[in-house]
Amino acid sequence: GAVVSQHPSWVICKSGTSVKIECRSLDFQATTMFWYRQFPKQSLMLMATSNEGSKATYEQGVEKDKFLINHASLTLSTLTVTSAHPEDSSFYICSARGGQGDQPQHFGDGTRLSIL
Amino acid sequence: LAKTTQPISMDSYEGQEVNITCSHNNIATNDYITWYQQFPSQGPRFIIQGYKTKVTNEVASLFIPADRKSSTLSLPRVSLSDTAVYYCLVGGSNTGGFKTIFGAGTRLFVKA
């Protein structure tokens, strides 16, 4: 159980393109979803937290107009990187958790984004 | 948020038991301790979670002392495929909602 699917697994596109990444919880309802960014040999950096039906809460230094997050249902959150540039190239990972209390996060397998 | 501190890297040999300790001095009452394993180009995979004392599942054990300021992940009889980065996360539901922050992680190298 507790499977999180992330799509696409990798994407290469030209500078200026907007890219949408989907994160789905397949067998549980995700009350909270998280988006992370990870550079090579580094840890995961939390970008934003979203609760179903609410606006996402962005971490300091993360541009909300650049990284649009939508969490319209209990099983789907999307991250759109708008007008992507080479410096946005990274590994983006989502996670989801359901319920309250001690429910852990479960992670997708990440999306490798390369902007040319 | 409770900051976590782990050793940057550890080496081991196949068949050995590996213990990775994480310090989290500022852990809050509501916080749980969760450990994840990450392979290159993959998302972190849940290993084990606990609140206090000892928790065991089919792949690992988690030891948490009474003061909860640290925790130790124990991997019995590691194999080459256990070479990965291991993250200790501390977090729980607080006023601002559920939140966890990743520390630097521990790179475990298992040798033949």
Side-chain angles (χ1 to χ4, degrees), chain B residues 58-98:
Chain B
E58 62 275 11
V59 297
S61 294
L62 178 59
F63 299 92
I64 305 169
D67 66 5
R68 305 200 325 124
K69 292 182 183 297
S70 67
S71 59
T72 299
L73 174 71
S74 181
L75 304 172
R77 298 180 299 280
V78 295
S79 63
L80 295 176
S81 61
D82 292 317
T83 294
V85 179
Y86 292 82
Y87 292 99
C88 155
L89 263 69
V90 173
S93 297
N94 299 297
T95 304
F98 186 91

Side-chain angles (χ1 to χ4, degrees), chain B residues 11-19 74-79 82 108-111:
Chain B
D11 289 346
S12 182
Y13 289 92
E14 281 190 293
Q16 288 188 333
E17 177 184 78
V18 171
N19 296 309
S74 181
L75 304 172
R77 298 180 299 280
V78 295
S79 63
D82 292 317
L108 173 66
F109 297 95
V110 180
K111 306 172 186 176

Side-chain angles (χ1 to χ4, degrees), chain A residues 41-43, chain B residues 4-8 85-87 102-107:
Chain A
K41 302 288 187 182
Q42 294 187 21
S43 183
Chain B
T4 61
T5 304
Q6 304 172 231
I8 295 175
V85 179
Y86 292 82
Y87 292 99
F102 276 80
T106 298
R107 291 182 179 275

Side-chain angles (χ1 to χ4, degrees), chain A residues 31-110:
Chain A
T31 53
T32 308
M33 285 186 165
F34 307 83
W35 288 95
Y36 295 84
R37 185 174 181 178
Q38 185 175 36
F39 292 106
K41 302 288 187 182
Q42 294 187 21
S43 183
L44 285 76
M45 181 190 77
L46 180 65
M47 299 175 66
T49 303
S50 71
N51 294 295
E52 186 265 338
S54 303
K55 288 185 178 180
T57 301
Y58 290 81
E59 294 300 301
Q60 190 172 9
V62 178
E63 301 175 57
K64 61 180 182 180
D65 294 330
K66 175 75 171 177
F67 300 98
L68 301 179
I69 293 171
N70 184 282
H71 189 172
S73 77
L74 283 172
T75 59
L76 173 65
S77 177
T78 60
L79 167 68
T80 301
V81 184
T82 61
S83 186
H85 293 286
E87 59 267 27
D88 298 321
S89 298
S90 190
F91 191 51
Y92 293 86
I93 309 171
C94 73
S95 72
R97 69 182 293 268
Q100 304 294 325
D102 64 347
Q103 296 300 310
Q105 298 178 64
H106 295 279
F107 289 81
D109 269 337

